[in-house]
Amino acid sequence: MPRFLSLVRIDEATAPAGGPSPELQQRMGALLEEITKAGVMLDTAGLTPTSEGVRVRHEKGGKLTVTDGPFTEAKEVIGGYALMQAKDKAEAVEWARRFVEVHGDEYDVTCEVRQIAE
């Protein structure tokens, strides 16, 4: 079965300062339990804020730069990921749709679903 990576993009500027509410955590836990029992979820996690991150970049001509976060030029950042094994892209997209919906009005969240090249 093909594997898919769902990149969870958020706007750090509009995310709740205290993190997800207990209600969102409960809804998310129920969904993650369901997707895991379905045999689809291989791994998932949220990421620390960009203020704790570092970017390492190699440019044409061999220039190497290392930049500490936060990365102010980026409005949307990767806030987490999910690695799924689904029967096809439609199933992976359906799980991503449900993941986005579970956030309610607390977050502006986008999931980019891409199949892993085998």
Side-chain angles (χ1 to χ4, degrees), residues 20-39:
S21 68
E23 295 82 15
L24 173 55
Q25 290 178 357
Q26 184 179 24
R27 293 190 311 266
M28 184 66 65
L31 178 62
L32 291 177
E33 183 177 334
E34 183 181 350
I35 192 172
T36 300
K37 284 182 178 178

Side-chain angles (χ1 to χ4, degrees), residues 6 29 56 70 73 76 79 82 97 104:
S6 176
V56 179
E73 72 277 4
E76 279 190 335
R97 181 194 65 76

Side-chain angles (χ1 to χ4, degrees), residues 88-108:
D88 54 28
K89 183 166 47 171
E91 181 184 19
V93 169
E94 176 59 20
W95 284 112
R97 181 194 65 76
R98 291 184 59 195
F99 175 82
V100 169
E101 284 183 337
V102 85
H103 285 80
D105 293 335
E106 292 182 56
Y107 285 86
D108 182 6

Side-chain angles (χ1 to χ4, degrees), residues 2 11 30-31 44-45 50-51 56-57 59 62-63 69 71 78 82 88 96:
D11 181 347
L31 178 62
T44 187
T50 60
S51 61
V56 179
R57 180 176 177 178
E59 299 176 24
K63 182 179 178 185
F71 312 116
I78 298 173
D88 54 28

Side-chain angles (χ1 to χ4, degrees), residues 3 30 35 37 44 48 54 66 71 78 96 99 110 112-113 117:
R3 294 179 300 154
I35 192 172
K37 284 182 178 178
T44 187
T48 59
V54 176
V66 178
F71 312 116
I78 298 173
F99 175 82
T110 302
E112 178 182 337
V113 178

